[in-house]
Amino acid sequence: MSSNKKIISTIDGNEAAAYVAYRVNEVCAIYPITPSSTMSELCDEWATKRIKNIWGSVPEVMEMQSEAGAAGTVHGALQTGSLTTTFTSSQGLMLMLPNMYKIAGELTPAVFHVAARSLAAQGLSIFGDHQDVMAARTTGFALLSSASVQEAHDFALIAQVATLKSRIPIVHFFDGFRTSHEVNKLEMLSDEQIKSMVPDELVIAHRGRGLNPDHPFIRGTAQNPDVYFQGRETVNSFYNNMPGIVEEVMNDFSTMTGRKYELFQYTGAADAEQIVIIMGSGGETVVETVEALNAAREKTGVIQVRLYRPFSLDHLIKAIPTSVKSIAILDRTKESGAAGEPMYQDVLATLVEAMQQGKLDHLPKLIGGRYGLSSKEFTPAMVKAVFDELKKDKPKNNFTIGINDDVTFTSLEYDPSYKLDESEWRQGLFFGLGADGTVGANKNTIKIIGENTDLYAQGYFVYDSKKSGARTVSHLRFGPKPIRAPYLITKADFIACHQFNFIEKVQMLEFAKEGATFLINSPYNKDEVWDKLTGQAQKIIIDRKLKVFVIDATTVARETGMSGRINTIMQTCYFALSGVLPREDAIKQIKKAIEKTYFKKGQKVIDQNFKAVDATLANMYEVNYPANSSAADHDLLTVPNKAPEFVKNVTAVMMADHGDELPVSMMPIDGTYPSGTTQWEKRNVSDLVPLWEPDLCIQCGNCAYVCPHSVIRAKFYHKDYLKNAPQDFKSAPINSRGFPETQYSLQVYLEDCTGCNLCVEVCPATDPANRSRKAINLVDKEPILKTEKKNIEFFEDITWNDRSKIDFSTVHGAQFLEPLFEFSGACAGCGETPYLKLLSQLFGDRLLVANATGCSSIYGGNLPTTPWSVNKEGRGPAWSNSLFEDNAEFGLGMRITADKQLNIAKQYLLELKGELGEEFVNEILDAKQILESELAEQQKRVQLLKEKLKTITSSAAIHLLSVADQFVRRSVWLVGGDGWAYDIGYGGLDHALASGRNIKILVLDTEVYSNTGGQMSKSTPTAATAKFAAGGKSGGKKDLAMQAISYGNVYVARVAFGANPQQTLLAMREAEAYDGPAIILAYSHCIAHGYDLKNGLDQQQKAVASGHWPLLRYNPVLRKKNQNPFVLDSARPTISLKDYAYNELRYKVLTITNPESAVELMKHAQDLVNLKWKTYEELATKKASDFVPVG
Amino acid sequence: MLTGNTYLSSDRQVFILNKISFLQKLIKYKNMKIHSTYMGLKLDSPIVVSACTLSEKTDNIVKMEDNGAGAVVLFSLFEEQIRKEEARLKFVMSKTTNSFAEALDYFPDLEDFNVGIDEYLENIRKAKDRVKIPIIGSLNGITNEGWIDYSKLMEQAGADGIEVNIFFIPGEIHMSTAEVEHRYLNIIDNIRQSVKIPVAVKLNPYFSAMGNMSLRMKKAGADALVLFNRFYQPDFDINELVIKTDLYYSESSEIRLPLLWIALLYGKINLSLAATTGVQSAVEVIKYILAGADVVMTASSLYKNGIPYLKTMNKELQDWMYMMGFDDIDSFKGNMSQQKISDPTAYQRANYIKILEGAK
């Protein structure tokens, strides 16, 4: 029975799927991973709000320590009869595989919802393809694919019913980002509809199969060769029945909703000659293209695969028209070394089998191809190229589409200008900054139009990979029919530039249709703005007869009390100009939406927003432009000529958003990229930058120390250097005594600055005559840019100070060390990166970094440019990322190599004693390498050794040459966040610590999963809120320091650079010098804490002053010397915990949402702090013999 | 009076007479009324807890009632604090939302959060549920909308009255006296228009014509004046060259300015008068009532001595009244006001001269 009452919503794929999953389950065991995290977060949020499932109970939502843990919990909950689900992607699904075999082997109904994503291979990617689900195809789970937001919603229900009926667990998947993050208009299922589809008797049957001591049985036995095989075959009939069951459920669903789905859904000509078989969102593109091609008298078709496992021969054969001559099977995955991709092989096997069974009278030509890895665009033009290929006598097999493979020539050529008829759509492109609210406003626009008019709406949002100054591009489509276009807009009716400086950086008008509207937010008025545009932009505007409008949204926002936020202003412009709705209707709709949004905030806020809307319309002007372009063309590629060839040919292309055009031959074959490429990408994120005042400066080095982006650097040099200095180059006599001819300069790399203000906050020197002037102050960049660029050039030529002559045991001294971690894409004011910079300064030229996946691996290793750099000698940190869960093991492996190769090197060195000279050999072997001068000496010796070895032809010499570098002491650091160290990687971390090997662990502790959006970790403190702890964390924070201390032979430090930079420096140096395992827990203020990070240092001080983060060092060397190894470096708490905590939204939130619980939890948290402090104080006063002896 | 009983011995008579007299006194003491009326609200005691952080906890308010507080003015709702929280929320939202593909936001469902005001209103509701004494909401606003919206919400939440704390330093030197005064009157007028419950105005003493200003405030709709607000007065740290922002409790010596103005205004203006500042014991309470205050507010004495000190102050007030033979508050209220004393000029220049003379 079809329901008349339609609930229309405009949401993304994740919410669409989670909405149903939540309603049909009792337990959700979850763990965050992009792009599926939103599904888990929503379920947690709904549970916190006590929203009920269709049986009237609130599902239990439990965050686990990893996906492996989530799968285990799912398994346990299922085995005891709960309806249980989980959500994951990519590597997360990989961690679930072992349990998935068990769950399927035990015929347990369950649905795992997967936002399908690439697997980490030559590089990690968070974007969408089917590599993860394809890796799960052997587990025995059924694979059900949805291709759109509507389907993600519908199939979540179909999967649940089918699994209960069939007893076969299902992976329900859709394309990561493309579907999971696409916002689209859909028809929602009501609770009644959902309930009517899920038979109670199946739920009860599932419960009945659960473990129960009242009628016990054993499941999960160990089986021998005599019966395992037969046992494995018992499930066959269930798999045989599964396709029929899914088909039946789909039919029932269709009867209920009118939405028809089939296992292999054919669309196209009844007499099609060429067809494509495809799964996932790409199928939507093929469907639309097929319809267009057939309208042009082609005979094409497409089969969208819904149920991929179990793969039903009969259903596939039925779906293929008998007229078909050739078939292309498109896989969104890659199986290196296989005869073909998985679905191609399945279809091939099925058709051959069908031929043999006489169910098929001829075998069409079959070709397989790969497309769309890592969300690579898949467009109608590409689909057409595939159909064109199918018409050939000898179509290419194992082809690729969408890239240029100029190495093995797999790729098909396509004509990018081929487009479907887009005339029914209104398409808009919006270029904004991450922080300017553009995406939020566009999501809102889609909701307004999607839910208040008959129009269909689609939104997709593209972000760059930087966390500060990120650029966003919003793609919005509106039309009278459902929009099935899972690809980006390339011909827009409306283009908006929300940040004026993008004009010079992005060729956004390339995407403008003839006669399109171009809206610019500009500080220049309608008469001035034309001359500020680039030559390219002017030409396109003239050639394509664009209508150009200008508004000074920043001023309008300020004057109408919108706190400088331009989003509502620009949104209003869009409503007024886009023509999606008649202008008056559009304005009415936006006002209606404002009323709805701000209803609770009162009439005043509503009026203020109305005022902003009216002021927008009054301040938006059309620009009349001349018939000819007046400006010169602007060079968008700004990498200087001195950049390395790779940077110019590859990196710069990616930087200019043209990475899609890079051919295979330009790519490194194994994921190896040059270090230190951020220096070539001058992002100019901030308009405000620090300016140094030499007359006030006390040369303390604090600003350089805290700068998260290594933008502030200091050098000292002989005053003669200044003879060639630019006129405005700043310098001051060094303030150390006894160096009358030495000058000091502090240089700000202003194009790399994010304007975070930490340097100003930390500066202790203030002008007594003008209290608002410090020795470093933020000023407008524009007026000083030109001179400072010259100054930077000069500063770069000054040699870095000889590190063996610097006393860098002090913060003051450390500023003179070259940072080999620079200009990362981390957030402005990041609390993690100062530690990494310091690490690179102290040990960078002999440093190996194993970096766990997370924020630090993204700002540390996300293309196009990466921050780990090299010094003039070509030495620098060697960095790699393995996975999230295994970083400690990965780093331990690095240490083992270093130790092993050193032994090999020693063996050969001794073997070559005769040729090399005994004294020289002994010098190398006996070299002390503690002081910087000693390390420098050893580096020289190794250099000499290598030169000598080049002249010796023996095998020993060749071997020794390959490992001789190991004679310089390697510093192996395992870096990652608390998600890694406290949760997913804890087992490995614990093992690495227990190994006793010389590894150093740096935990950048933000007390939350920062990279995936603020989910709770075991480091999250009591009383703080986080995702998965929306009601405030009630449990305690794990004391990883005490756990490590319990081993006795582990150096342990807890540091906070903002509270005591000297202690941080000391701890890092002590840890490195210690010949054994060391762990440093580094307090890292974070955007996920919820405050302006310019106050990060102050909050660090408060964290320490309140006793939340006591500074400590546990040094086993002291224990050996019979001294107390436990040193407390911070004083007894001087402020209460809440004086620290309530400056941060993560704590404050609870006082708003649940004040009583906030009071209770804060009290509990304070008690814990008191208790912890008492314990520490006791430890600090004990005798050496009270601690574990060091062997 | 009882007359002597002739058939009892004189000693016995004296004994009985004394005993009767004691009982009489006890009865009188017990029946002694310290009731007061404050802007139409009937209070069991003239001692009222002024706006302070002690009233953030409902349990404390219950304790205040148990120890004899006449009423409680709740801790102040600072509009700018709410605005600041809202701005912080907006800032965090805007800086962290929709800017990075992996983390489209960092906090669970912030959209629905209402900052500050809800919590305050909940405090009013909870207090009203648990105590019988009047609960007066205290509002420290900065914008017209803030004054109107928040006072309305307080009324809806059940507040018995509103104390508007106009904490405004006219630091903008181009602002004229008339403009400053208009600002005060405008706020009072706006609030008066939007609520029905009584409105008290807590103000500072720095008006050129305090008396006239009081009349105009009455006209604008004030039901009571609370004299006086203590302005935040900064100090400097001369080593760090920074402004010191430490707070200090009021001293009993600070009562003189409010005392002066209450004594001057009493009986001349049909407004309730509340005294605040410098109340450390019943002594200041008595002085203020003698000057003409309907109620006397204190917070610092409770910070120093604890909430049960209210009981001590009430008792000391009663003891003094008993000693002085006053049966109720009205019988001595305003007795030392300018209106009632024999030499009214003592409150003006003459008094000043006398003090100067005395100092010689």
Side-chain angles (χ1 to χ4, degrees), chain A residues 34 45 49 126 177 181 434-435 439-440 443 463 465 467 470 472 565 601 604 771 858 1010-1014 1027 1030 1087-1092 1142-1143 1145-1146 1148-1149 1151-1153 1156, chain B residues 57 83 85-86 88-116 118-119 122 126 143 145-146 149 240-242:
Chain A
T34 307
E45 212 170 284
K49 290 179 179 165
I126 60 167
F177 280 105
H181 283 55
V439 172
K443 285 184 175 174
Y463 307 86
S465 53
K467 290 169 183 259
T472 64
R565 297 265 291 161
K601 307 256 176 206
K604 185 221 157 194
R771 302 300 299 165
I858 297 302
S1010 301
N1011 192 52
T1012 46
K1027 288 178 185 167
I1087 195 159
H1089 295 175
Y1091 62 94
D1092 186 346
Y1142 286 151
N1143 296 323
L1145 198 63
R1146 60 173 167 155
K1148 190 78 186 168
V1149 157
T1151 66
I1152 301 160
T1153 53
E1156 276 169 20
Chain B
K57 288 183 184 165
R83 304 263 181 239
E85 288 291 336
E86 277 176 352
R88 185 162 80 162
L89 202 67
K90 265 191 199 161
F91 173 84
V92 170
M93 292 285 284
S94 65
K95 285 282 173 192
T96 60
T97 305
N98 290 317
S99 51
F100 181 61
E102 293 206 66
L104 298 182
D105 54 48
Y106 289 89
F107 291 95
D109 197 17
L110 277 180
E111 293 283 350
D112 291 341
F113 290 173
N114 275 318
V115 187
D118 277 356
E119 195 183 344
E122 192 54 31
K126 275 198 238 158
T143 65
E145 295 78 15
D149 293 349
E240 296 290 328
L241 293 185
V242 290

Side-chain angles (χ1 to χ4, degrees), chain A residues 381-665:
Chain A
M382 295 170 195
V383 177
K384 183 173 184 302
V386 174
F387 278 114
D388 290 345
E389 188 70 18
L390 281 174
K391 285 187 203 159
K392 292 180 181 169
D393 282 346
K394 288 185 178 171
K396 193 185 272 185
N397 193 14
N398 277 324
F399 65 85
T400 55
I401 181 77
I403 57 167
N404 175 7
D405 176 5
D406 57 343
V407 178
T408 50
F409 306 103
T410 58
S411 51
L412 302 183
E413 280 191 18
Y414 67 97
D415 172 11
S417 67
Y418 175 79
K419 301 229 181 295
L420 302 182
D421 177 13
E422 299 177 345
S423 58
E424 279 196 337
W425 295 335
R426 304 297 295 177
Q427 307 193 83
L429 276 179
F430 305 78
F431 294 81
L433 259 184
D436 70 7
T438 298
V439 172
N442 284 327
K443 285 184 175 174
N444 189 251
T445 297
I446 293 170
K447 268 196 179 302
I448 293 172
I449 297 177
E451 293 178 9
N452 296 296
T453 74
D454 291 335
L455 289 172
Y456 284 84
Q458 180 205 42
Y460 190 72
F461 307 92
V462 178
Y463 307 86
D464 74 23
S465 53
K466 307 290 183 190
K467 290 169 183 259
S468 53
R471 199 162 63 222
T472 64
V473 188
S474 309
H475 297 249
L476 264 58
R477 287 190 178 105
F478 299 98
K481 289 189 221 141
I483 296 167
R484 306 173 81 180
Y487 46 86
L488 302 177
I489 292 169
T490 50
K491 284 288 168 205
D493 308 285
F494 183 91
I495 293 178
C497 175
H498 286 198
Q499 301 289 331
F500 191 76
N501 64 2
F502 287 176
I503 293 278
E504 288 184 357
K505 293 180 183 170
V506 194
Q507 286 185 343
M508 60 188 76
L509 290 181
E510 278 177 358
F511 306 110
K513 256 189 202 165
E514 182 91 13
T517 300
F518 179 41
L519 170 70
I520 324 166
N521 169 27
S522 158
Y524 307 105
N525 67 30
K526 67 180 171 56
D527 302 319
E528 299 162 344
V529 72
W530 177 255
D531 291 331
K532 305 291 177 187
L533 301 180
T534 63
Q536 293 101 317
Q538 289 184 346
K539 275 180 204 138
I540 294 177
I541 289 170
I542 293 165
D543 293 349
R544 300 189 196 171
K545 302 182 180 59
L546 304 192
K547 291 191 275 297
V548 182
F549 290 85
V550 66
I551 184 165
D552 183 354
T554 316
T555 304
V556 175
R558 196 176 52 240
E559 287 175 355
T560 50
M562 304 298 289
S563 320
R565 297 265 291 161
I566 61 163
N567 50 358
T568 307
I569 315 292
M570 297 307 283
Q571 190 186 11
T572 304
C573 293
Y574 175 69
F575 270 82
L577 294 174
S578 65
V580 173
L581 298 173
R583 188 164 172 155
E584 276 187 15
D585 276 6
I587 301 305
K588 216 181 275 174
Q589 287 295 353
I590 199 167
K591 288 194 171 174
K592 209 166 108 188
I594 286 170
E595 270 181 330
K596 203 171 148 193
T597 309
Y598 297 110
F599 170 69
K600 276 204 244 165
K601 307 256 176 206
Q603 192 57 41
K604 185 221 157 194
V605 180
I606 293 174
D607 289 344
Q608 191 179 33
N609 277 273
F610 281 2
K611 203 172 130 194
V613 169
D614 296 337
T616 300
L617 301 173
N619 284 284
M620 183 176 67
Y621 301 100
E622 182 156 10
V623 177
N624 295 316
Y625 52 84
N628 295 307
S629 163
S630 57
D633 279 356
H634 181 78
D635 187 4
L636 291 171
L637 291 185
T638 50
V639 178
N641 240 342
K642 64 179 178 181
E645 284 306 301
F646 184 87
V647 170
K648 280 195 277 193
N649 298 332
V650 180
T651 311
V653 179
M654 288 189 261
M655 280 159 54
D657 295 338
H658 289 290
D660 281 329
E661 291 157 25
L662 286 168
V664 172
S665 63

Side-chain angles (χ1 to χ4, degrees), chain B residues 9-253:
Chain B
S9 72
S10 59
D11 278 2
R12 186 70 184 150
Q13 275 189 21
V14 168
F15 171 78
I16 289 171
L17 278 173
N18 279 348
K19 198 167 180 181
I20 290 168
S21 165
F22 173 77
L23 284 170
Q24 269 186 325
K25 282 178 183 171
L26 195 67
I27 291 161
K28 187 181 174 192
Y29 187 85
K30 283 274 179 195
N31 289 334
M32 187 179 287
K33 302 292 182 216
I34 55 168
H35 290 169
S36 184
T37 303
Y38 177 53
M39 48 179 191
L41 304 169
K42 304 273 184 223
L43 314 186
D44 287 343
S45 162
I47 304 176
V48 168
V49 181
S50 60
C52 67
T53 52
L54 289 173
S55 54
E56 283 176 4
K57 288 183 184 165
T58 315
D59 284 349
N60 280 347
I61 298 174
V62 173
K63 228 193 243 182
M64 288 165 190
E65 181 180 49
D66 291 347
N67 284 286
V72 173
V73 183
L74 277 192
F75 61 98
S76 278
L77 176 72
F78 285 89
E79 186 187 351
E80 67 263 48
Q81 211 166 338
I82 294 170
R83 304 263 181 239
K84 207 171 126 193
E85 288 291 336
E86 277 176 352
R88 185 162 80 162
L89 202 67
K90 265 191 199 161
F91 173 84
V92 170
M93 292 285 284
S94 65
K95 285 282 173 192
T96 60
T97 305
N98 290 317
S99 51
F100 181 61
E102 293 206 66
L104 298 182
D105 54 48
Y106 289 89
F107 291 95
D109 197 17
L110 277 180
E111 293 283 350
D112 291 341
F113 290 173
N114 275 318
V115 187
I117 183 75
D118 277 356
E119 195 183 344
Y120 193 88
L121 300 176
E122 192 54 31
N123 272 304
I124 296 181
R125 281 186 209 107
K126 275 198 238 158
K128 286 302 295 174
D129 275 354
R130 294 185 59 190
V131 299
K132 289 197 173 64
I133 53 171
I135 297 296
I136 298 165
S138 169
L139 175 57
N140 199 322
I142 44 171
T143 65
N144 252 339
E145 295 78 15
W147 292 114
I148 293 167
D149 293 349
Y150 298 150
S151 51
K152 255 189 206 165
L153 290 169
M154 284 184 189
E155 182 180 42
Q156 283 161 13
D160 297 291
I162 289 179
E163 179 177 291
V164 295
N165 188 345
I166 309 180
F167 193 97
F168 169 65
I169 300 173
E172 163 53 57
I173 59 168
H174 297 291
M175 200 171 200
S176 70
T177 307
E179 282 170 316
V180 174
E181 290 174 354
H182 176 74
R183 188 181 167 126
Y184 273 75
L185 299 172
N186 192 33
I187 290 167
I188 298 166
D189 183 45
N190 276 326
I191 295 174
R192 186 66 285 161
Q193 302 299 326
S194 48
V195 297
K196 291 194 173 65
I197 50 176
V199 175
V201 181
K202 190 167 183 175
L203 70 167
N204 71 73
Y206 308 112
F207 288 101
S208 306
M210 182 70 215
N212 178 261
M213 191 62 197
S214 305
L215 285 171
R216 288 162 69 198
M217 285 194 239
K218 156 79 188 157
K219 206 174 162 195
D223 299 291
L225 296 181
V226 184
L227 309 175
F228 285 115
N229 213 339
R230 287 167 83 222
F231 267 165
Y232 161 67
Q233 297 170 6
D235 193 4
F236 294 154
D237 180 325
I238 60 166
N239 294 317
E240 296 290 328
L241 293 185
V242 290
I243 294 171
K244 281 181 19 181
T245 54
D246 49 341
L247 277 177
Y248 56 96
Y249 296 131
S250 65
E251 303 280 338
S252 53
S253 59

Side-chain angles (χ1 to χ4, degrees), chain A residues 685-705:
Chain A
V685 168
S686 177
D687 294 334
L688 291 174
V689 294
L691 183 69
W692 180 49
E693 303 287 357
D695 61 319
L696 288 179
C697 181
I698 57 168
Q699 301 174 14
C700 64
N702 284 354
C703 55
Y705 189 97

Side-chain angles (χ1 to χ4, degrees), chain A residues 978-1122:
Chain A
D978 47 290
W980 160 63
Y982 286 68
D983 287 357
I984 196 169
Y986 177 66
L989 181 129
D990 182 52
H991 195 82
L993 286 176
S995 73
R997 302 298 279 254
N998 190 2
I999 47 144
K1000 316 297 165 197
I1001 298 172
L1002 177 61
V1003 182
L1004 302 163
D1005 197 340
T1006 60
E1007 306 186 317
V1008 76
Y1009 286 77
S1010 301
N1011 192 52
T1012 46
Q1015 296 85 1
M1016 171 178 68
S1017 81
K1018 280 199 282 298
S1019 178
T1020 301
T1022 312
T1025 53
K1027 288 178 185 167
F1028 306 156
K1033 189 180 175 190
S1034 53
K1037 175 188 168 83
K1038 173 153 91 180
D1039 194 338
L1040 194 52
M1042 290 302 286
Q1043 291 185 350
I1045 284 170
S1046 68
Y1047 282 114
N1049 65 339
V1050 177
Y1051 178 92
V1052 182
R1054 189 186 283 129
V1055 303
F1057 77 93
N1060 189 340
Q1062 188 59 39
Q1063 189 251 4
T1064 302
L1065 181 60
L1066 181 64
M1068 278 221 186
R1069 298 183 74 229
E1070 280 182 354
E1072 210 277 337
Y1074 176 62
D1075 187 17
I1079 181 166
I1080 296 178
L1081 304 169
Y1083 184 96
S1084 305
H1085 59 248
C1086 176
I1087 195 159
H1089 295 175
Y1091 62 94
D1092 186 346
L1093 290 191
K1094 75 175 185 188
N1095 301 318
L1097 305 173
D1098 193 38
Q1099 272 306 93
Q1100 291 210 16
Q1101 282 178 2
K1102 289 193 165 83
V1104 173
S1106 65
H1108 168 65
W1109 193 267
L1111 303 180
L1112 65 87
R1113 285 172 298 133
Y1114 183 92
N1115 192 348
V1117 175
L1118 295 178
R1119 174 68 183 87
K1120 267 190 178 170
K1121 290 178 185 167
N1122 212 26

Side-chain angles (χ1 to χ4, degrees), chain A residues 303-320:
Chain A
I303 291 176
Q304 285 179 281
V305 180
R306 313 291 198 190
L307 184 71
Y308 176 57
R309 282 285 180 275
F311 199 83
S312 170
L313 181 146
D314 288 340
H315 287 89
L316 176 61
I317 298 301
K318 252 188 245 166
I320 301 173

